[in-house]
Amino acid sequence: MKKRITVLSGDGIGPEIVAEAVKVLDRVGDVYGHTFEYTYVDIGGCSIDKYGVPITDEGMQACLSSDSVLLGAVGGPKWDDCPAEIRPEKALLAVRKQLGLFANLRPTKLFPQLAGASPLKCRIIGEGIDLVIVRELTGGIYFGEKKTEEKDGELTATDVMTYSEHEIERIGRVAFETAMKRGRRLASVDKANILDTSRLWRRTMHMLREQYPEVEYSDILVDNAAMKLIKDPTRFDVIVTENMFGDILSDEASMLTGSIGMMPSASLSSGTRGMYEPIHGSAPDIAGKNIANPTGTVLSAAMMLRYSFGMEKEADAVENAVAKAIDEGFRTQDIMAAGKDDGCRLVSCTEMGDIFAERI
Ligand code: IPM
Ligand code: MG
């Protein structure tokens, strides 16, 4: 098969981790007889520096006309004072919106060999963590009206959070379907004791629940969910939640996997085109040092193979290569548990990419 991929490397460690994912995809192409054609487009701060906007119209067009999009990370302190309209993150939200990527899957899996790298005690995570966060990605407070205005002699800022039934229903369906293919347990996270959007969320989920009687469904308030994720993470199978709650809970959940560098994500629409990115940011403090962990990005590429290209065995091959490398003891600095990793070898970002590719 031949597939066209738009590559948005972005800022900070983005280009380093994306290069390793491309290395792995090329290896998949060689082994399984596929051709991946890449179009590189600037996004975020690097695009602001070059063109004055976080993504150009041509760049957006490239995303819209390719089979899939691979993203590194955007943003950094250099662009923190940019006006809201041209901030690096604005481009990421625009791509998500324009491509209709309403469903963001964030698998949270602990490789047992990395239990020592997690800040949580082994007795909490020891039984193994394997959950998926299904985050709504094109609605809620991220996309509502925003304004800062002068009122009674001081500045007042407003961010509006809105959800319509159809937006909740379509993400709910993705979550129930995901649960059906896994452990058939779904926790819907909201703040229905306070927010109208959450009350509509809950009502819509309850309507869907009737259609999926095999799924053991529960409602959890977001503050309680944040606590339970740390206290009793193995109780979770699939978590569905709105945009901002999902953003926050997925960073929290990443600590169950040992490092935020481990976590991939797939942003999906109703069609086959998706965008695939690690959940972490651009980590400007370690950029250019060749020490970033490319695993989250490589696993995101595996999700691209599976969800956008229907290449199941190729996706399995990438995931198995990652598991093998971890099992053989190769570690980037973030997953090297201090003093406890006898026999493990500290490797750079590029070495880790080579090791993954060689194991396919
Ligand atoms: C994420 C990130 C983004 C988000 C930022 C970079 C806009 O934190 O993908 O989780 O908030 O969605
Ligand atoms: Mg985030």
Side-chain angles (χ1 to χ4, degrees):
M1 267 196 246
K2 183 169 157 182
K3 295 290 177 191
R4 287 166 307 131
I5 302 171
T6 300
V7 181
L8 307 171
S9 301
D11 306 314
I13 58 170
E16 298 168 55
I17 52 176
V18 161
E20 300 317 309
V22 167
K23 189 187 276 177
V24 168
L25 283 172
D26 283 340
R27 173 77 181 154
V28 168
D30 288 346
V31 172
Y32 292 90
H34 304 301
T35 308
F36 300 118
E37 242 176 47
Y38 309 102
T39 305
Y40 286 83
V41 168
D42 289 309
I43 189 169
C46 60
S47 175
I48 295 173
D49 288 351
K50 271 196 208 165
Y51 310 108
V53 287
I55 188 163
T56 61
D57 292 344
E58 301 81 65
M60 184 64 82
Q61 223 33 62
C63 295
L64 285 163
S65 59
S66 59
D67 295 312
S68 209
V69 181
L70 179 68
L71 176 97
V74 295
K78 181 173 175 200
W79 305 282
D80 273 352
D81 297 326
C82 284
E85 272 318 296
I86 63 152
R87 278 189 68 97
E89 292 80 2
K90 188 85 187 168
L92 180 52
L93 298 199
V95 176
R96 288 173 179 172
K97 194 70 169 183
Q98 291 219 20
L99 270 62
L101 307 174
F102 67 90
N104 183 223
L105 308 188
R106 301 191 155 189
T108 309
K109 202 169 169 177
L110 170 71
F111 291 92
Q113 302 90 332
L114 298 184
S118 169
L120 293 181
K121 292 195 174 79
C122 281
R123 92 178 135 75
I124 304 280
I125 55 169
E127 293 165 42
I129 303 293
D130 185 1
L131 59 96
V132 181
I133 296 175
V134 179
R135 171 187 175 195
E136 200 292 324
L137 202 61
T138 51
I141 202 164
Y142 272 59
F143 291 93
E145 189 200 345
K146 303 178 185 308
K147 59 179 179 210
T148 304
E149 61 199 332
E150 181 127 9
K151 256 190 191 164
D152 305 325
E154 64 174 349
L155 290 176
T156 300
T158 309
D159 292 283
V160 179
M161 180 162 174
T162 305
Y163 270 108
S164 311
E165 277 177 295
H166 79 275
E167 293 176 290
I168 303 170
E169 193 186 326
R170 65 184 179 185
I171 190 69
R173 217 169 269 293
V174 170
F176 276 102
E177 292 293 336
T178 306
M180 285 297 286
K181 289 187 207 123
R182 295 176 39 101
R184 301 193 168 185
R185 278 177 297 132
L186 177 63
S188 170
V189 173
D190 63 33
K191 189 72 183 170
N193 51 350
I194 301 289
L195 303 175
D196 257 34
T197 44
S198 282
R199 287 188 271 268
L200 183 62
W201 181 278
R202 203 173 266 209
R203 220 178 71 188
T204 311
M205 290 293 162
H206 287 188
M207 268 156 44
L208 279 173
R209 175 170 70 173
E210 306 297 318
Q211 297 169 31
Y212 295 90
E214 301 94 333
V215 174
E216 188 190 311
Y217 173 92
S218 57
D219 300 298
I220 311 190
L221 294 172
V222 63
D223 45 351
N224 192 235
M227 186 265 281
K228 291 215 167 95
L229 259 178
I230 296 301
K231 184 169 180 277
D232 191 10
T234 55
R235 64 181 275 138
F236 292 106
D237 176 25
V238 181
I239 294 174
V240 62
T241 193
E242 66 87 39
N243 204 345
M244 187 158 71
F245 296 161
D247 179 44
I248 298 168
L249 291 180
S250 57
D251 267 34
E252 184 192 7
S254 76
M255 286 298 104
L256 305 167
T257 72
S259 164
I260 195 167
M262 296 298 295
M263 261 181 81
S265 86
S267 303
L268 307 174
S269 64
S270 45
T272 58
R273 190 190 305 116
M275 177 158 70
Y276 299 83
E277 52 172 311
I279 77 150
H280 60 71
S282 61
D285 52 325
I286 59 163
K289 296 185 179 162
N290 194 18
I291 59 171
N293 184 353
T295 309
T297 321
V298 168
L299 290 174
S300 301
M303 294 182 89
M304 174 188 287
L305 296 172
R306 174 165 287 123
Y307 293 109
S308 282
F309 304 160
M311 299 179 183
E312 289 288 339
K313 63 177 185 306
E314 292 84 340
D316 287 345
V318 174
E319 288 168 0
N320 291 338
V322 168
K324 194 153 191 293
I326 302 276
D327 191 49
E328 288 172 40
F330 295 104
R331 303 279 186 272
T332 44
Q333 41 83 38
D334 58 317
I335 50 174
M336 192 87 185
K340 285 189 199 147
D341 275 342
D342 291 342
C344 288
R345 198 176 124 214
L346 182 65
V347 294
S348 66
C349 179
T350 47
E351 282 171 324
M352 198 63 153
D354 290 339
I355 292 160
F356 292 155
E358 282 159 14
R359 276 152 189 74
I360 287 166

